[in-house]
């Protein structure tokens, strides 16, 4: 797509030990923690130091924003290419989402644009769907309304308004991670180190520069803000007003996160499991647990309402789990009493009850709602973890994509190269040990945290603070998710930077190390806490600044003449209401560049659409021309686009090529040397996408080639049935 171009150019500790650690923490954070301002410390030193910290956070956020924007420009020469080339650069589902922003801007009015989205008949032929219900495109609607309302049209093109907004969210993301590290460690140097690590590990922390419209690029900044709000909410000594503000911030960020990504329910399920785990080991009060659960439920139900009662949200596992957890906890009032063994037994029974009730509620909800939209995800999970073989086409599409495979080990090598992995692992090990000790001591105690006043009086933060415990489990749980599915690493790696920075700048790791070396003192602790991050930042600057400058000097240019030629031909040679069939990725681009009607598209969260996609993809299977023709006519196809890159695919191994997945789903043996399952049989027909190019009699009678280049072949479907109707009046045509 791009070509090179040239331009000029603890409860587990003794009381005395806990008091010592607490005093060391407070002394080291005197002027560094934003909480000092909240508690009324308006001294000039505190104000200046906090202001410097906020300024650095904004500066790092802007630096990241400018960095990814420059990479995007340098990779495509976006400012100098034609409009059609800019639109083609929005690959796969990114093009589909951006097309709705373009559609809203082209509408005569905002009201008519919204009506077109609510009653859309262009995205899926022969169907009228509510796009605001089906897809997470409120961000495109909001941006289009904002662009039409603001006086920026004369000096900022719509496409730049869109991409600059997405790049600006990267600044928000960095600032959120910065604040999380600052809150955890008490030093904004931790936030600085977090931002530096995030930028240096760009390959593993974001892919926004080449997948601008992807839903995760909109949602993850809000998720990071939600984690920051949770971290602040779980800190001790907040006033009632501050707690209310944090609860509202958690709700708003949760709402924005859920509204902008269709996978929100699965991400929130992991977060609900984190809250449940902290509740089980008495590291959160019942009020905190209930509040966090209700924030999640409120966010999801708000999205359910905004998405016109989207049944997929009501049938989500996370809602079923939260309802089950709250109900079982209410029924088992004596859960947190008894000796260690008794409590472990109760905890096991409690967890089994919650899981069983979760699956029962979820099963009944899906039956009542007749919900099957997300079943492909569970088929994928079942096949991924070897819970059963599959020939299911939808699940296999996910399994064969690298993004849904295991996390490659070279990811860890890159993270180690930026000095991120080592402090992260050390911090993880240390905090996991502290958490385990604190959990055991809480489980040994007879009353647990049932009495919140008693818990507050005992000062349980001496073992591990609730905000630290939450962030520890957050990075552990989402780390496991990232290792199991590479695409999910972007949730983990950003937060990983904050946790590692907390380990470097926080007092826990250094206190333990200095006590082990028998040289612990407040002055030495303060010295190593501030000198170490400064030395690391200096080392990273010396090592990576030249590489960053070299990366920013690499200039490329968008180059895809075959796709440009195809889009130009469609725009000039086909009717505006023509229906096109083809691969999901290509059709998203056709929708954006030409506005033609599609048979299918990449937004896969609908069972009927998945079945339609599998049927349309039969053009790459071994099927007769009559079968393919009937399939395409059933969905109203006028033109069919075949791609050599799919018909003769070499990118994937045997068994993962699209044509192989279709052969397996159809019960046919696969192409090429290799083993086949014994129940597979040879197909009775040649591969359609190859055979049609010979233009034999049967193919020529049904399809006529109207366009071709090195990459694409376009065929128009002949109106066979109309001819048959005319011929039926002739007695000689009757058999």
């Amino acid at each position: 797509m791009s070509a090179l171009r040239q331009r000029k150019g603890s409860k587990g500790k003794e009381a005395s030990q806990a008091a010592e650690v607490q005093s060391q923490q407070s002394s080291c954070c005197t002027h560094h923690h934003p909480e000092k301002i909240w508690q009324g410390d308006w001294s000039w030193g505190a104000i200046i130091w906090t202001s410097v910290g906020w300024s650095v956070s904004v500066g790092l956020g802007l630096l990241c924003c400018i960095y990814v924007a420059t990479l995007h420009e340098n990779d495509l020469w976006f400012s100098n290419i034609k409009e059609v080339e800019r639109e083609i650069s929005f690959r796969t589902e990114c093009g589909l989402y951006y097309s709705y922003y373009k559609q809203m801007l082209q509408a005569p009015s905002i009201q008519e644009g919204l009506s077109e989205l609510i009653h859309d008949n262009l995205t899926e032929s022969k169907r009228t769907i509510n796009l605001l219900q089906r897809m997470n495109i409120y961000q495109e609607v909001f941006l289009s309304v904002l662009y039409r309302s603001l006086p920026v049209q004369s000096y900022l093109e719509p496409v730049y308004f869109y991409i600059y907004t997405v790049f600006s969210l990267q600044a928000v993301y960095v600032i959120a991670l910065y604040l999380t590290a600052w809150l955890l460690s008490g030093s904004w140097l931790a936030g600085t180190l977090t931002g530096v690590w995030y930028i240096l590990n760009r390959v593993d922390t974001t892919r926004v520069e080449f997948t601008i419209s992807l839903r995760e690029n909109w949602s993850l900044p809000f998720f990071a803000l939600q984690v920051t709000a949770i971290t602040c909410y779980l800190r001790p000594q907040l006033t009632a007003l501050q707690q209310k503000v944090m609860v509202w911030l958690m709700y708003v960020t949760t709402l924005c996160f859920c509204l902008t990504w269709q996978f929100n329910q699965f991400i929130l399920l992991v977060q609900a499991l984190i809250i449940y785990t902290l509740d089980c080991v008495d590291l959160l009060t019942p009020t905190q647990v209930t509040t966090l659960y209700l924030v999640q439920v409120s966010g999801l139900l708000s999205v359910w309402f905004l998405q016109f009662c989207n049944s997929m949200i009501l049938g989500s596992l996370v809602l079923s789990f939260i309802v089950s957890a709250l109900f079982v906890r209410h029924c088992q009032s004596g859960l947190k009493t008894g000796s260690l063994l008794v409590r472990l037994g109760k905890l096991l029974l409690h967890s089994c009850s919650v899981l069983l009730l979760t699956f029962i509620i979820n099963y009944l909800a899906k039956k009542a709602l007749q919900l099957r939209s997300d079943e492909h995800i569970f088929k994928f999970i079942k096949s991924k973890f070897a819970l059963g073989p599959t020939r299911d086409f939808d699940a296999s599409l996910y399994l064969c994509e690298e993004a849904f495979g295991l996390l490659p080990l070279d990811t860890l090598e890159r993270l180690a190269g930026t000095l991120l992995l080592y402090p992260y692992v050390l911090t993880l090990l240390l905090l996991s040990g502290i958490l385990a000790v604190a959990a055991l001591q809480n489980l040994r105690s007879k009353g647990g945290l049932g009495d919140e006043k008693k818990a507050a009086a005992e000062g349980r933060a001496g073992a591990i603070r609730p905000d630290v415990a939450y962030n520890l489990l957050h990075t552990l749980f989402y780390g496991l998710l990232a290792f199991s599915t590479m695409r999910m690493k972007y949730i983990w790696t950003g937060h990983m930077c904050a946790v590692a920075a907390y380990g470097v700048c926080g007092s826990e790791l250094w206190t333990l190390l200095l006590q082990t070396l028998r040289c612990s003192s407040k002055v030495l602790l303060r010295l190593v806490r501030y000198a170490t991050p400064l030395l690391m930042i200096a080392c990273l600057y010396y090592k990576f600044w030249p590489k960053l400058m070299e990366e920013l000097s690499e200039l490329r240019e968008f180059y895809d003449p075959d796709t440009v030629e195809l889009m130009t031909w469609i725009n000039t040679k086909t009717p505006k209401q023509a229906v096109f069939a083809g691969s999901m990725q290509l059709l998203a681009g056709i929708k954006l560049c030409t506005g033609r009607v599609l048979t299918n598209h990449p937004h896969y969260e609908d069972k009927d659409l998945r079945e339609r996609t599998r049927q349309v993809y039969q053009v790459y299977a071994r099927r007769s021309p009559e079968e393919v023709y009937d399939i395409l006519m059933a969905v109203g196809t006028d033109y069919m686009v075949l791609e050599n890159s799919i018909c003769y695919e070499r990118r994937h191994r045997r068994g993962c090529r699209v044509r192989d997945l279709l052969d397996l789903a159809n019960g046919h043996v696969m192409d090429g040397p290799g083993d086949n399952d014994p129940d597979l049989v040879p197909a009775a027909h040649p591969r359609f996408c190859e055979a049609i190019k010979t233009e034999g009699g049967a193919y020529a009678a049904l399809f006529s080639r109207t366009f071709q280049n090195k990459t694409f072949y376009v065929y128009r479907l002949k109106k066979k049935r109309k001819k048959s109707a005319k011929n039926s009046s002739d007695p000689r045509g009757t058999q």
Side-chain angles (χ1 to χ4, degrees), residues 28-259:
C28 292
C29 306
T30 303
H31 298 296
H32 295 255
H33 206 288
E35 192 176 284
K36 287 292 175 182
I37 297 292
W38 298 357
Q39 292 176 353
D41 183 4
W42 290 97
S43 64
W44 282 108
I47 293 173
I48 293 173
W49 199 249
T50 302
S51 300
V52 171
W54 278 99
S55 301
V56 173
S57 73
V58 174
L60 281 171
L62 291 175
L63 180 63
C64 181
C65 171
I66 295 169
Y67 176 48
V68 294
T70 304
L71 288 176
H72 175 259
E73 166 65 21
N74 288 356
D75 189 51
L76 300 174
W77 206 357
F78 200 75
S79 59
N80 283 273
I81 57 179
K82 296 183 292 186
E83 186 65 22
V84 65
E85 293 175 314
R86 289 179 179 178
E87 292 178 345
I88 292 171
S89 70
F90 288 88
R91 298 287 183 173
T92 64
E93 60 186 292
C94 297
L96 182 68
Y97 298 133
Y98 182 76
S99 72
Y100 300 122
Y101 170 74
K102 178 182 176 181
Q103 182 176 326
M104 280 290 295
L105 291 178
Q106 291 177 341
S109 66
I110 294 174
Q111 292 78 7
E112 289 185 46
L114 287 172
S115 178
E116 289 174 2
L117 294 181
I118 295 173
H119 307 94
D120 179 87
N121 54 13
L122 301 177
T123 304
E124 296 177 17
S125 58
K126 290 192 170 183
R127 290 178 184 167
T128 298
I129 61 175
N130 185 344
L131 290 170
L132 294 180
Q133 181 189 53
R134 176 82 73 82
M135 302 184 190
N136 299 72
I137 58 169
Y138 267 99
Q139 50 267 52
E140 277 74 24
V141 173
F142 174 75
L143 270 193
S144 64
V145 173
L146 198 61
Y147 184 79
R148 296 177 72 141
S149 305
L150 295 176
V152 297
Q153 293 92 337
S154 57
Y155 56 87
L156 191 63
E157 297 176 63
V159 66
Y160 278 108
F161 186 75
Y162 186 92
I163 65 175
Y164 286 165
T165 301
V166 180
F167 292 149
S168 298
L169 284 176
Q170 285 298 298
V172 175
Y173 198 177
V174 170
I175 291 172
L177 295 174
Y178 181 106
L179 293 177
T180 300
W182 189 357
L183 287 167
L184 289 173
S185 67
S187 169
W188 56 257
L189 283 176
T192 305
L193 192 56
T194 299
V196 170
W197 266 330
Y198 182 90
I199 294 171
L200 293 181
N201 290 282
R202 173 190 57 80
V203 174
D204 297 302
T205 54
T206 183
R207 49 179 175 168
V208 66
E209 72 275 11
F210 61 90
T211 58
I212 294 175
S213 305
L214 211 60
R215 302 297 83 178
E216 67 191 46
N217 294 328
W218 288 91
S219 63
L220 290 185
F222 294 113
F223 189 57
L225 284 173
Q226 185 228 39
V227 173
T228 303
I230 291 175
T231 302
C232 194
Y233 172 72
L234 295 180
R235 289 192 61 80
Q237 300 177 348
L238 290 185
T239 65
L241 177 61
Q242 290 168 351
Q243 288 181 348
K244 289 180 181 178
V245 171
M246 288 303 112
V247 169
W248 275 105
L249 281 176
M250 287 189 291
Y251 166 72
V252 171
T253 52
T254 302
L255 171 62
C256 293
F257 165 70
C258 294
L259 197 60

Side-chain angles (χ1 to χ4, degrees), residues 227-449:
V227 173
T228 303
I230 291 175
T231 302
C232 194
Y233 172 72
L234 295 180
R235 289 192 61 80
Q237 300 177 348
L238 290 185
T239 65
L241 177 61
Q242 290 168 351
Q243 288 181 348
K244 289 180 181 178
V245 171
M246 288 303 112
V247 169
W248 275 105
L249 281 176
M250 287 189 291
Y251 166 72
V252 171
T253 52
T254 302
L255 171 62
C256 293
F257 165 70
C258 294
L259 197 60
T260 51
W261 197 11
Q262 67 268 28
F263 291 149
N264 56 66
Q265 55 170 299
F266 303 102
I267 307 304
L268 288 186
L269 176 62
V270 177
Q271 190 176 63
L273 291 173
I274 295 170
I275 298 167
Y276 176 79
T277 304
L278 292 173
D279 181 32
C280 287
V281 295
D282 293 347
L283 286 170
L284 297 181
T285 65
T287 299
Q288 289 173 332
V289 173
T290 304
T291 300
L292 292 174
Y293 278 149
L294 292 181
V295 164
Q296 287 190 325
V297 172
S298 301
L300 286 168
L301 292 181
S302 299
V303 173
W304 170 77
F305 175 77
L306 289 172
Q307 289 194 311
F308 296 82
C309 306
N310 187 336
S311 60
M312 191 172 173
I313 295 175
L314 290 184
S316 63
L317 264 177
V318 62
L319 276 183
S320 303
F321 176 80
I322 291 174
V323 170
S324 302
L326 291 174
F327 178 76
V328 174
R329 191 182 67 170
H330 177 74
C331 294
Q332 294 182 336
S333 56
L335 177 65
K336 298 184 178 182
T337 57
S339 63
L340 176 62
L341 290 178
V342 171
R343 288 200 61 181
L344 287 175
K346 288 182 178 180
L347 192 58
L348 179 62
L349 178 62
H350 175 74
S351 299
C352 291
S353 302
V354 170
L355 290 177
L356 180 61
L357 187 59
T358 296
F359 290 120
I360 291 174
I361 293 176
N362 191 253
Y363 175 80
L364 294 176
K366 288 185 175 179
K367 281 292 184 183
L369 297 169
Q370 297 182 341
L371 180 64
R372 304 184 69 183
S373 298
D374 57 354
E375 64 179 11
H376 64 299
I377 297 176
F378 294 103
K379 288 180 182 177
F380 159 72
I381 295 173
K382 178 181 176 182
S383 303
K384 182 178 181 64
F385 296 104
L387 300 177
T390 184
R391 289 181 184 172
D392 182 79
F393 178 72
D394 304 320
S396 299
L397 274 179
Y398 283 101
L399 287 170
C400 288
E401 284 298 324
E402 183 182 6
F404 292 93
L406 298 177
L407 187 72
L409 293 180
D410 61 351
T411 303
L412 301 181
E413 294 176 6
R414 290 192 298 271
L415 296 174
T418 58
L419 306 181
L420 170 60
L421 186 63
Y422 305 117
Y424 174 77
V425 171
L426 286 174
T427 305
L428 213 58
L429 292 175
L430 174 67
L431 292 179
S432 297
I434 295 174
L435 178 65
V437 171
L440 283 174
Q441 289 198 337
N442 286 342
L443 290 174
R444 279 200 193 104
S445 109
K446 302 241 176 183
L449 281 181

